[in-house]
Amino acid sequence: MTLESLTNAAELLRRYPILWSVGLVMGALAVLNLVIPVYGGTFYVEPLALLQVFVIPFLAGGVYGTVRAETFSVGEFLQSGRTYYFRILLPALVIFFAAILTVLLLAIPLALLGAGAAAGMAPLLFGVLVSIAFFTFFYDTVAVFEETNVFESIRRSIEFVMNNLGSVLIFYLVNIVVLIVLGFAGLVTMSALLVDKLEPLTHMNPTELQAVMPQDILALIGTEGVWITAAVYAIVMVLFSAFLYAYKASFFRNHADAPGVQQQGEYDEKGRWYKY
């Protein structure tokens, strides 16, 4: 069924261009994330990050809503984005602040224990954050496909992951592999396009290479190199973002409807599922 979800995602992207909108927006934001800190300074970094926080729920709601309704039109995408916006945004904020609170509750006593405990704090905190993300990752698909409230979306995501642990692990592995492949391809492409500008680095010894700073790289590649890097980065983000959201929607829909997953609810006269 995991392979079926993968092929379904590829088919959705092939047949319905509207699903690429999430990738296009994420690609545009990726360009801004790279170019603005270089030319605009750090002042715009936080507003840009805040913009992404408030844009992503709309895009996710649009993708999941069109897949759920099986109506792949611009109107359905916009309507779904508006309808499910707060159903996605609010659980995301709850998860974020819960993660911050968990980190603080762990960091304070570890810091009080002394330098030895503090030295091992980073791996522990990282593990906690990964665990939270691992179990709550499907909160947004739950919010759309099952139309749940804030805390029920988080609870159902945890339940969904635990009930489909093996398949979820494969899902994560597939996404990691796809990201690595796209990232490697992007790195090779960028290196090929900037080979002339980066050629001086090949004449440096290891000591000199270690002393190279990011601003030195920027000076080497110049404005043209920055935009080439931004363009390649944007393409990688377009491809991966579109794939991730389509695959996630297909995966959740297939596994949430799998035998053995019992849910209480009923269908209305239009065939829409309403969970008790």
Side-chain angles (χ1 to χ4, degrees):
M1 189 173 291
T2 304
L3 180 60
E4 180 184 353
S5 301
L6 186 59
T7 55
N8 286 347
E11 183 67 13
L12 287 173
L13 291 173
R14 185 184 69 83
R15 295 179 59 188
Y16 305 111
I18 188 64
L19 298 181
W20 285 92
S21 57
V22 62
L24 294 173
V25 174
M26 295 299 288
L29 291 173
V31 172
L32 295 177
N33 280 328
L34 188 62
V35 173
I36 285 182
V38 174
Y39 295 108
T42 58
F43 174 79
Y44 299 99
V45 173
E46 291 185 4
L48 182 59
L50 191 62
L51 173 65
Q52 290 179 256
V53 168
F54 289 105
V55 166
I56 290 175
F58 180 84
L59 299 173
V63 172
Y64 301 149
T66 54
V67 173
R68 179 178 186 260
E70 297 185 352
T71 305
F72 299 92
S73 65
V74 175
E76 181 65 32
F77 183 92
L78 296 176
Q79 179 61 37
S80 296
R82 291 192 297 267
T83 300
Y84 299 112
Y85 182 80
F86 288 103
R87 286 182 182 267
I88 294 175
L89 176 63
L90 296 180
L93 294 177
V94 170
I95 293 169
F96 173 77
F97 286 113
I100 295 298
L101 180 60
T102 302
V103 168
L104 290 176
L105 292 176
L106 289 173
I108 292 174
L110 287 174
L112 294 176
L113 290 175
M121 182 172 61
L124 174 62
L125 297 181
F126 178 76
V128 170
L129 293 176
V130 168
S131 298
I132 293 174
F134 182 90
F135 287 102
T136 61
F137 188 68
F138 292 92
Y139 76 91
D140 51 355
T141 47
V142 170
V144 174
F145 283 90
E146 299 182 6
E147 297 193 346
T148 49
N149 59 33
V150 174
F151 295 101
E152 180 66 9
S153 297
I154 298 171
R155 188 197 68 80
R156 273 287 296 137
S157 175
I158 297 171
E159 182 181 69
F160 175 78
V161 171
M162 294 181 67
N163 289 340
N164 302 276
L165 190 57
S167 298
V168 169
L169 287 172
I170 296 174
F171 169 82
Y172 288 135
L173 181 61
V174 169
N175 281 287
I176 291 171
V177 170
V178 170
L179 180 59
I180 291 174
V181 170
L182 290 175
F184 181 75
L187 184 61
V188 171
T189 303
M190 186 178 64
S191 300
L193 294 173
L194 298 177
V195 62
D196 293 335
K197 298 181 181 296
L198 296 176
E199 192 269 341
L201 295 177
T202 62
H203 302 295
M204 295 182 180
N205 58 46
T207 303
E208 291 173 330
L209 287 173
Q210 290 179 358
V212 173
M213 303 296 290
Q215 54 267 31
D216 299 324
I217 300 294
L218 291 176
L220 279 176
I221 64 177
T223 301
E224 181 184 0
V226 170
W227 283 105
I228 289 174
T229 302
V232 173
Y233 180 42
I235 292 172
V236 170
M237 290 303 299
V238 168
L239 295 174
F240 180 70
S241 298
F243 168 79
L244 172 63
Y245 282 90
Y247 183 31
K248 189 176 180 181
S250 297
F251 181 86
F252 181 82
R253 182 174 60 178
N254 290 344
H255 287 77
D257 294 336
V261 179
Q262 300 292 327
Q263 297 183 36
Q264 294 182 332
E266 63 181 7
Y267 290 96
D268 67 3
E269 66 277 2
K270 295 183 178 180
R272 294 174 296 189
W273 172 262
Y274 287 92
K275 185 176 182 293
Y276 291 135

